[in-house]
Amino acid sequence: MQNDNGIQTSLKEATQLSSAVWSALAERVGGVWMLRSAYHLNKSAQNELINFLARQPIDAWLCGALSGGYTRSTSLPEETNLETKRLFAFPIGGTSQTVLVGADKQSPQAQRVWKLTASLLLGHAASPSQPFLPDVQSGLAADLPLAIGKVLGVFVQSSACQGAWMAIRRGESLDILAEWNDPKARGVSMLIDENPILRRANRSLSEVVITRAQPNWDNLPYGSLKSGTKAWVCLPLVIGQRLIGLVALWRQTEFSRGELGQLREMAAQVSPSVEVLVTFSEMAAHLRRLGLLNDFVLTVSSAQNLDQIARRVFGLLSRAFSTELIALFLRSSDGRVLRDYHMFEGKLNVVSVSLAEHSILPVLKEGRTRRIVDTLKEGFVPLNKGARSMLIVPLKYRGQVIGVLIIENLRAEAFSQYDEHLMVVITSHLAGLIEYTRLREEAEGRARSLGLIHEVVQQVIGLNDKKEVGHITAELVAQYFKYELAVVLLKDDEEKFSIQGIGGTQSETVTRALAGRDFLASNGITGSVSQTGESKLVNDTRQEKLYVPIKGWEARSEICVALKDGDNILGIIDVESREQNAFGHNDLLSIESLAGILTSVITSANQYQRLQETIRQLREIEIELKARMEAQRSAENRLIQAAKLAAVGEMAAGIAHELNNPLTTVTGFSELVLEDLPQDFSYRTELEMVSREAHRASDVVRRLLDFSRQGERTRIRASLNEVVNDVIALTRHLIQTNKVNLTLQLDENLPWVSIDHNQMKQVLLNLIHNALQAMPKGGEMSVGTGTASREEGGWVVMWVRDSGVGISPADQNRVFEPFFTTKGDRGGTGLGLSVTYGIVSDHGGTIEIASEPNQGSTFTVWLPT
């Protein structure tokens, strides 16, 4: 709220003369009432007054007072803390400002005081005849709706209208960005070709005047017209021969020729300013999209699985939109299971549920982007209680809706059209990334399940005893997937289901609890699957009406799959866990795949030959899938390498090409001249310096070439100890001359790894040279090898440790960047560690650094076994 000394003084004097309780100067900006100044109103009361003015009936009441220029009063709610019974409004003519007075009553003499005060305050308002020019430095152009509201205010102040709106053209539609006394108009989008009046304005590029008596009155594009409204006019905003926007005004009396001429001239004056505003806004939105898209590419695209993608997307959107009310719904490739990602108490929760029973199904079927400005006004039920605005964006891949992303906010109107457009762009990229990652996960899951299927088939093929088949299957299912309970039920000759196999850590507990009773509950999940044959995935049994617990054992997650031969149900497989959200879609696919194989075994043992052929094909598919996944991982690594070093590589190659020939000439001729010059020649020292510096520049060029091209790779399985011994043999003399004590710690039982000998030698040479340069006065150096394990598997490690100057924490994050060096006057091109990083990454490994200033550094290379 602005505080002007002149305004404050006028309000104070008028309040005391009229015996009022308080007073304020209010202005309507961008469809919202703001207080420019106030007297005898504390901050709490000011906020309460602003909330009262934001009510739609009060907003319309004040807009009517401004349009007619009449003094009005209304009663205040008793529950307010404004300390008065009535609110008086004294409009300031020709502006969007009014003086508000709080008092129980105001005599005619007191009202004359306030009218005089309003006329005096007219001098503090902007002149309506002043042409509108967007002030970019003031930040007005950064808020397009606010700026458009200012433009609309110019028209409203000059025409004394009942209502008005201003729309900006977006393609073939007009979007209303500002309104006057018509709150519902804001955000409305109108197609130009669907309305005859809009088509006429677009083609003629001149104003259109409609009166109530004319036939087109019923075709007015938009406006909350009252029964007394008699005239409506729309003024096109034109640049050249192009329509960029439209201003519509309506009132109780017809517009005179003079007024229309003035409005026409005003539209021509503001059109260039509106064009600048729209262009600036679109540029800002474009830059914002580029920034967020850049963050998306850097953070999300490198994720390795769906959960990691969701976690990074949620973090990115949470920072961008300042909300944690985010949900991502992904349906499985077969459309049966929905993967629900949502934030709860700051943590990402993942639930797999049946899609047919989920409330999000209509949104997925609709597949339409929606921006809910206010859930209360639009009657839309949000996902999170108390959310006032929503952004619903479907994820489409090749024309098919594979999921939906929903962002909510506790504030109304929290998302703009720019946010909507931005999310459409992001989700288009996200959909492709998710689909690829999901296919890869499903392929890996199926490859994993192939091992189980192969093991089951190998052990049960040819068996005729159903109980033995069931027992082996249940044990293997529990063993492979570490399920706490796996049960196989098969039909007997009397068409009754009985347990033929049970496995898992809870098998004995369940067996004792049943004590001869049936495991299958006719009114439970197992009973439903045995009757319908439809698979069931439950990740929270507390929310499942069909779940029936067993005494002594209560599961939280359950998968139940039928063994079907056509329409005949032969049995069921049921797996359970006491952990909530324990099973995913891949688990369901694995059990269903197993059920299909088990059905074949039970149906006919004569299918042995066909099953052997199936096993052979599955093995080939497994090999092919692994080969494809390995090729894809290699491609991803190369893509990351190229993305990080492409620009520097191009520059390095160009520099090397331009400098190599002249440097060769300089070094060659300088050496020839030195051979012919006598030792006591006066300029021999300077010429020798030229030769040395030229050789040093050639060395930089060679490093640039090494950096810009990786060269041809030759990978063999070998021991890193051989690489270490070869490099130490080359550098031992250099190490000794630098007064450095070397310690070797080589693991004699080191596993072999697939490496390029020459590239690995370059890696170790770079690390040793760096260590020596970090110890100009000598010190201790340790080079060693060993093994280590991570979640991903086994690794071979090689380290170089020195007692040198160390690296500061700020520089440790940048040491692998091209041309970055901490050596200062000790020399260095800043390319050695960049080349090292690229080689190690190309081998599927990583390189880590541990360092403290003045304590030395340790570089550790990790290579997968």
Side-chain angles (χ1 to χ4, degrees):
M1 182 184 71
Q2 292 181 335
N3 249 326
D4 185 279
N5 291 333
I7 298 174
Q8 186 79 10
T9 302
S10 299
L11 293 178
K12 178 180 178 180
E13 292 174 351
T15 302
Q16 294 174 351
L17 288 173
S18 63
S19 301
V21 178
W22 52 261
S23 60
L25 177 62
E27 182 178 10
R28 196 174 192 268
V29 179
V32 178
W33 286 98
M34 301 173 60
L35 298 184
R36 284 195 58 190
S37 185
Y39 173 70
H40 214 264
L41 271 179
N42 58 31
K43 189 172 183 179
S44 174
Q46 291 177 21
N47 291 333
E48 190 162 0
L49 178 59
I50 290 174
N51 292 332
F52 179 70
L53 300 181
R55 299 181 185 180
Q56 187 173 345
I58 303 302
D59 179 42
W61 174 76
L62 283 175
C63 288
L66 288 176
S67 299
Y70 303 120
T71 300
R72 289 186 174 181
S73 69
T74 185
S75 59
L76 291 170
E78 294 182 358
E79 63 273 13
T80 64
N81 295 322
L82 296 176
E83 301 178 355
T84 60
K85 296 180 179 180
R86 299 193 67 79
L87 173 67
F88 293 82
F90 298 90
I92 300 176
T95 71
S96 58
Q97 298 179 353
T98 182
V99 176
L100 301 177
V101 179
D104 293 340
K105 63 180 181 178
Q106 287 284 278
S107 64
Q109 182 180 359
Q111 293 189 31
R112 284 196 294 272
V113 170
W114 284 113
K115 290 178 181 178
L116 177 60
T117 302
S119 63
L120 293 175
L121 290 176
L122 181 59
H124 292 275
S127 174
S129 62
Q130 183 182 358
F132 176 85
L133 293 175
D135 185 359
V136 177
Q137 293 182 351
S138 70
L140 181 59
D143 190 340
L144 183 60
L146 178 62
I148 295 301
K150 287 282 188 180
V151 176
L152 181 61
V154 176
F155 287 89
V156 171
Q157 292 167 14
S158 64
S159 61
C161 59
Q162 279 184 313
W165 51 255
M166 184 172 177
I168 297 301
R169 184 168 186 172
R170 309 274 192 195
E172 297 305 317
S173 63
L174 287 165
D175 296 341
I176 298 178
L177 298 187
E179 50 76 29
W180 172 262
N181 200 18
D182 191 7
K184 293 183 179 180
R186 184 183 294 271
V188 172
S189 182
M190 305 172 291
L191 290 174
I192 296 175
D193 289 338
E194 290 187 356
N195 185 274
I197 297 176
L198 296 181
R199 286 200 305 269
R200 176 179 166 187
N202 183 39
R203 291 171 183 171
S204 65
L205 299 180
S206 60
E207 72 271 9
V208 178
V209 182
I210 307 293
T211 61
R212 184 175 286 275
Q214 292 178 323
N216 271 340
W217 184 261
D218 294 333
N219 293 326
L220 294 181
Y222 192 85
S224 300
L225 306 184
K226 299 181 180 180
S227 58
T229 304
K230 293 183 179 180
W232 185 92
V233 62
C234 70
L235 303 159
L237 304 179
V238 180
I239 296 294
Q241 295 297 316
R242 178 169 54 90
L243 179 71
I244 66 167
L246 209 64
V247 178
L249 306 102
W250 56 91
R251 67 183 191 184
Q252 294 174 319
T253 59
E254 295 185 9
F255 295 89
S256 66
R257 290 186 178 181
E259 288 177 314
L260 291 175
Q262 182 183 1
L263 291 173
R264 189 185 308 117
E265 180 181 355
M266 196 177 300
Q269 290 178 352
V270 302
S271 292
S273 297
V274 172
E275 174 77 354
V276 172
L277 287 169
V278 173
T279 303
F280 183 88
S281 177
E282 290 177 351
M283 289 175 60
H286 178 67
L287 292 175
R288 181 183 174 193
R289 291 189 188 98
L290 290 179
L292 194 52
L293 282 175
N294 183 59
D295 291 343
F296 175 84
V297 170
L298 291 176
T299 59
V300 179
S301 300
S302 59
Q304 298 299 314
N305 53 59
L306 288 178
D307 291 351
Q308 199 174 68
I309 289 175
R311 187 174 291 105
R312 294 185 180 182
V313 167
F314 279 38
L316 182 65
L317 297 180
S318 179
R319 292 191 300 271
F321 295 104
S322 301
T323 179
E324 289 192 351
L325 307 182
I326 307 171
L328 175 64
F329 300 93
L330 300 176
R331 62 172 158 192
S332 60
S333 54
D334 57 12
R336 293 183 301 164
V337 177
L338 185 72
R339 206 166 183 172
D340 177 359
Y341 295 88
H342 61 274
M343 296 296 292
F344 181 74
E345 295 181 352
K347 296 182 180 179
L348 179 66
N349 287 275
V350 188
V351 182
S352 295
V353 295
S354 173
L355 177 59
E357 303 171 359
H358 205 282
S359 59
I360 206 67
L361 182 58
V363 178
L364 289 170
K365 289 182 176 179
E366 184 181 28
R368 182 167 65 94
T369 301
R370 297 190 64 180
R371 179 166 57 92
I372 310 301
V373 177
D374 192 332
T375 56
L376 297 180
K377 293 181 180 179
E378 299 185 37
F380 203 93
V381 180
L383 297 177
N384 297 278
K385 185 178 180 181
R388 290 290 302 276
S389 55
M390 301 176 64
L391 197 56
I392 305 173
V393 189
L395 276 69
K396 295 184 179 180
Y397 182 74
R398 294 182 178 178
Q400 299 293 323
V401 178
I402 65 170
V404 63
L405 179 65
I406 299 178
I407 309 174
E408 297 181 338
N409 200 296
L410 298 176
R411 295 185 298 104
E413 301 183 7
F415 305 109
S416 66
Q417 287 182 331
Y418 308 116
D419 297 329
E420 181 180 343
H421 297 161
L422 175 63
M423 289 310 303
V424 169
V425 175
I426 287 180
T427 52
S428 66
H429 293 284
L430 182 61
L433 179 63
I434 286 176
E435 188 65 14
Y436 158 72
T437 306
R438 180 167 59 187
L439 289 175
R440 187 181 65 185
E441 284 188 356
E442 289 181 358
E444 292 172 349
R446 288 171 181 170
R448 182 173 59 121
S449 66
L450 288 177
L452 169 63
I453 293 172
H454 172 68
E455 187 75 20
V456 170
V457 170
Q458 289 289 342
Q459 294 200 32
V460 304
I461 199 71
L463 297 178
N464 295 320
D465 186 351
K466 290 184 179 181
K467 191 172 186 64
E468 187 175 359
V469 170
H471 175 72
I472 292 174
T473 302
E475 288 290 344
L476 288 176
V477 168
Q479 175 185 339
Y480 262 77
F481 296 101
K482 294 182 172 47
Y483 295 147
E484 293 171 89
L485 181 65
V487 182
V488 177
L489 293 93
L490 301 175
K491 271 185 180 180
D492 55 22
D493 296 336
E494 299 179 357
E495 295 293 312
K496 292 183 178 180
F497 288 92
S498 59
I499 295 179
Q500 301 298 318
I502 184 169
T505 57
Q506 299 297 322
S507 58
E508 294 183 3
T509 302
V510 173
T511 301
R512 288 195 302 268
L514 290 174
R517 292 183 289 118
D518 290 338
F519 179 83
L520 187 143
S522 58
N523 61 338
I525 294 175
T526 52
S528 174
V529 173
S530 67
Q531 295 170 16
T532 63
E534 296 181 358
S535 302
K536 192 82 172 175
L537 169 63
V538 179
N539 267 313
D540 189 355
T541 56
R542 292 171 295 186
Q543 306 297 324
E544 176 58 52
K545 295 181 292 185
L546 292 177
Y547 178 72
V548 178
I550 298 174
K551 185 178 180 180
W553 164 251
E554 186 169 352
R556 283 288 177 262
S557 303
E558 182 175 0
I559 295 178
C560 191
V561 177
L563 307 178
K564 294 191 296 184
D565 181 18
D567 294 332
N568 185 25
I569 298 176
L570 305 178
I572 61 172
I573 301 177
D574 186 78
V575 295
E576 299 180 9
S577 172
R578 67 169 71 252
E579 298 293 331
Q580 188 175 329
N581 302 321
F583 304 134
H585 184 242
N586 284 339
D587 294 300
L588 178 60
L589 291 177
S590 299
I591 300 301
E592 287 182 335
S593 300
L594 176 62
I597 297 295
L598 194 58
T599 298
S600 299
V601 174
I602 295 173
T603 302
S604 173
N606 295 328
Q607 295 181 356
Y608 179 79
Q609 295 299 328
R610 281 186 286 174
L611 288 175
Q612 286 287 14
E613 178 63 19
T614 301
I615 294 170
R616 186 187 66 77
Q617 294 176 358
L618 291 175
R619 284 176 176 171
E620 292 179 356
I621 293 173
E622 181 180 8
I623 294 172
E624 182 181 354
L625 287 173
K626 289 181 178 179
R628 288 183 179 181
M629 286 187 287
E630 178 62 30
Q632 182 62 40
R633 278 193 288 267
S634 177
E636 287 176 353
N637 290 334
R638 288 195 299 271
L639 182 61
I640 294 172
Q641 170 79 7
K644 293 175 63 178
L645 306 178
V648 176
E650 290 179 8
M651 183 187 70
I655 293 173
H657 177 74
E658 294 295 332
L659 295 182
N660 200 41
N661 289 337
L663 285 174
T664 301
T665 302
V666 172
T667 55
F669 278 105
S670 62
E671 289 174 355
L672 289 174
V673 172
L674 284 171
E675 290 178 358
D676 295 338
L677 288 178
Q679 292 294 329
D680 56 352
F681 187 70
S682 58
Y683 294 110
R684 183 177 184 88
T685 302
E686 288 79 1
L687 196 56
E688 288 176 345
M689 182 183 299
V690 170
S691 179
R692 284 197 307 274
E693 292 304 311
H695 277 290
R696 191 168 70 87
S698 297
D699 183 61
V700 173
V701 170
R702 179 185 61 77
R703 287 177 176 271
L704 286 173
L705 286 173
D706 291 343
F707 178 75
S708 63
R709 58 182 183 231
Q710 288 295 328
E712 188 173 336
R713 298 179 304 176
T714 303
R715 298 277 180 88
I716 60 172
R717 293 190 61 79
S719 173
L720 275 181
N721 288 343
E722 297 178 7
V723 174
V724 174
N725 288 327
D726 289 347
V727 174
I728 293 301
L730 293 173
T731 59
R732 187 178 296 277
H733 178 70
L734 179 63
I735 293 172
Q736 292 174 351
T737 58
N738 279 271
K739 300 179 181 179
V740 173
N741 295 325
L742 174 66
T743 303
L744 286 180
Q745 300 176 357
L746 303 183
D747 186 348
E748 298 299 332
N749 299 318
L750 196 68
W752 285 15
V753 290
S754 178
I755 57 174
D756 184 307
H757 251 277
N758 290 330
Q759 288 186 338
M760 277 300 132
K761 285 181 180 179
Q762 183 178 357
V763 168
L764 187 54
L765 276 171
N766 287 345
L767 296 179
I768 289 177
H769 283 159
N770 276 2
L772 292 176
Q773 291 173 346
M775 297 182 292
K777 297 181 180 179
E780 301 291 331
M781 179 191 297
S782 171
V783 179
T785 59
T787 58
S789 61
R790 289 179 172 176
E791 294 181 359
E792 309 94 281
W795 296 76
V796 171
V797 296
M798 174 177 67
W799 69 84
V800 176
R801 183 179 296 114
D802 65 69
S803 60
V805 296
I807 303 173
S808 67
D811 290 339
Q812 289 182 29
N813 295 327
R814 301 186 58 198
V815 293
F816 298 112
E817 295 180 4
F819 300 112
F820 178 80
T821 178
T822 61
K823 297 171 186 175
D825 56 5
R826 289 178 284 132
T829 62
L831 292 174
L833 286 179
S834 296
V835 173
T836 299
Y837 181 87
I839 293 173
V840 174
S841 298
D842 193 49
H843 280 72
T846 60
I847 182 169
E848 297 176 351
I849 179 174
S851 180
E852 292 184 12
N854 302 319
Q855 298 296 321
S857 304
T858 302
F859 285 84
T860 305
V861 175
W862 295 70
L863 295 175
T865 59

